[in-house]
Amino acid sequence: MLKKIAIFGVGLIGGSFALALKKAGAVEQIIGVGRTIASLERAKELGIIDVICTSSADAVRGADLVLIAAPVAQTEAILASIEPHLQPETVVTDAGSTKTDVVAAACRALREKIAQFVPGHPIAGRELNGPDAAIVDLYVGKKVVLAPLPENAPADVERVANAWRQCGAIIHRLTSQEHDRVFASVSHLPHLLAYALVDDIARKPHADVLFQYAASGFRDFTRIAGSSPEMWRDISLANQAALLQELDAYMAQLAQLRAMLAAGDAAAIESIYANAQQARHNWVRTIEAAEKQGKQGGD
């Protein structure tokens, strides 16, 4: 049982974390901190948080755990605001989609207290934002990646891991560098592509006609373009080097496909499509098996 948790950012990620812990009976009190009082009041109205706090000092005082669930560009400022008030028994973690930059920011902001920071990233989400988007079962059967620092005490890492387990999540561990390389490929690049496609169509003079005939395939491919532009701007810039590398590789693949299309090379095009189809089928089967195991209590 955690007596007190402070959450900076009570939207989809932080709010769902709070709801899941409350359902599990794993926390006595949840403090909410955010940029707008309206958002905090809505979170309290929905039962996500118990107390609204506008002071970093009051929020972290006596807290067992602090979760930073704000856009990654705000991480350093939040950590710097809590550092003077951070007690030795408090563990801090984050939910940012990039890790190398977050670790660097934590080192600058927390200095000698860096051992109290355990980097994390829940691999779950929706394209909706704000407290109303929070759902109690968002993390059930989903992965949470922890990227522990050499300075972290094993007990502090376990405190963070156990909190996520109480939410129904399955814990994985990567280094911050491994994390950023992996997610540049399978998360950050897809978001960039979805945003680029929708923006391209929206800027065409006959965009209204194009959107009129866009159906389920377009909707599914571009769903993630409904996510927070601010958050994904920050993620894109924070993981710039790895994302550029993945973007260059994808552009080379598109150039190859364009050449095949221009040459009318049906066999080559079908070969790429078939390989992609099989790879996706295999991935979906793996994901479904892992989620089934997670819902049955796997870790």
Side-chain angles (χ1 to χ4, degrees):
M1 170 70 72
L2 296 168
K3 291 184 178 180
K4 176 181 174 179
I5 294 178
I7 300 178
F8 286 75
V10 291
L12 169 65
I13 299 301
S16 297
F17 181 73
L19 289 174
L21 288 177
K22 285 191 168 193
K23 181 182 179 181
V27 60
E28 291 183 7
Q29 184 184 59
I30 296 180
I31 311 298
V33 189
R35 288 185 292 180
T36 66
I37 291 296
S39 178
L40 293 171
E41 289 177 343
R42 181 59 176 158
K44 188 174 181 182
E45 179 184 342
L46 292 169
I48 294 172
I49 60 175
D50 302 307
V51 178
I52 293 172
C53 197
T54 57
S55 162
S56 294
D58 293 340
V60 303
R61 186 178 296 114
D64 299 296
L65 184 66
V66 175
L67 172 67
I68 298 174
V72 290
Q74 299 175 27
T75 302
E76 185 167 357
I78 293 172
L79 289 173
S81 73
I82 70 174
E83 187 275 333
H85 318 288
L86 201 57
Q87 296 166 302
E89 64 273 15
T90 301
V91 179
V92 183
T93 189
D94 78 307
S97 295
T98 55
K99 293 274 75 78
T100 305
D101 66 308
V102 165
V103 170
C107 288
R108 291 191 297 268
L110 297 180
R111 296 168 292 183
E112 69 275 7
K113 297 180 181 178
I114 187 60
Q116 293 174 245
F117 179 72
V118 180
H121 177 202
I123 315 305
R126 307 164 73 198
E127 66 273 21
L128 304 175
N129 309 301
D132 287 281
I135 54 175
V136 70
D137 60 350
L138 180 66
Y139 303 115
V140 174
K142 300 300 193 300
K143 299 179 182 69
V144 169
V145 175
L146 299 184
L149 305 176
E151 298 89 345
N152 291 147
D156 290 348
V157 177
E158 180 57 26
R159 185 184 301 181
V160 176
N162 189 58
W164 285 113
R165 289 191 196 103
Q166 295 291 330
C167 298
I170 303 165
I171 306 302
H172 288 242
R173 298 194 187 197
L174 296 172
T175 67
S176 58
Q177 293 82 5
E178 289 170 339
H179 172 281
D180 287 358
R181 286 195 297 268
V182 167
F183 287 94
S185 177
V186 299
S187 176
H188 307 166
L189 178 64
H191 277 82
L192 183 151
L193 300 178
Y195 281 122
L197 177 60
V198 177
D199 180 69
D200 177 59
I201 291 176
R203 293 177 186 274
K204 294 182 186 297
H206 57 308
D208 55 339
V209 175
L210 297 177
F211 282 123
Q212 179 183 350
Y213 291 102
S216 58
F218 181 84
R219 182 188 62 217
D220 292 345
F221 183 80
T222 62
R223 176 186 61 80
I224 52 180
S227 303
S228 166
E230 177 190 15
M231 180 178 75
W232 281 99
R233 174 204 66 196
D234 292 349
I235 291 169
S236 298
L237 293 175
N239 204 20
Q240 183 186 56
L243 182 53
L244 282 172
Q245 193 170 27
E246 292 299 327
L247 182 58
D248 288 344
Y250 188 77
M251 290 172 67
Q253 175 80 334
L254 288 179
Q256 183 181 21
L257 270 169
R258 188 189 188 286
M260 293 173 183
L261 184 61
D265 192 339
I269 293 172
E270 184 178 356
S271 176
I272 287 180
Y273 288 2
N275 182 60
Q277 180 197 49
Q278 187 59 51
R280 191 181 190 282
H281 286 337
N282 292 341
W283 168 69
V284 169
R285 283 195 291 268
T286 300
I287 289 295
E288 288 174 346
E291 289 183 347
K292 182 178 179 181
Q293 180 185 4
K295 289 174 182 177
Q296 292 173 347
D299 189 42

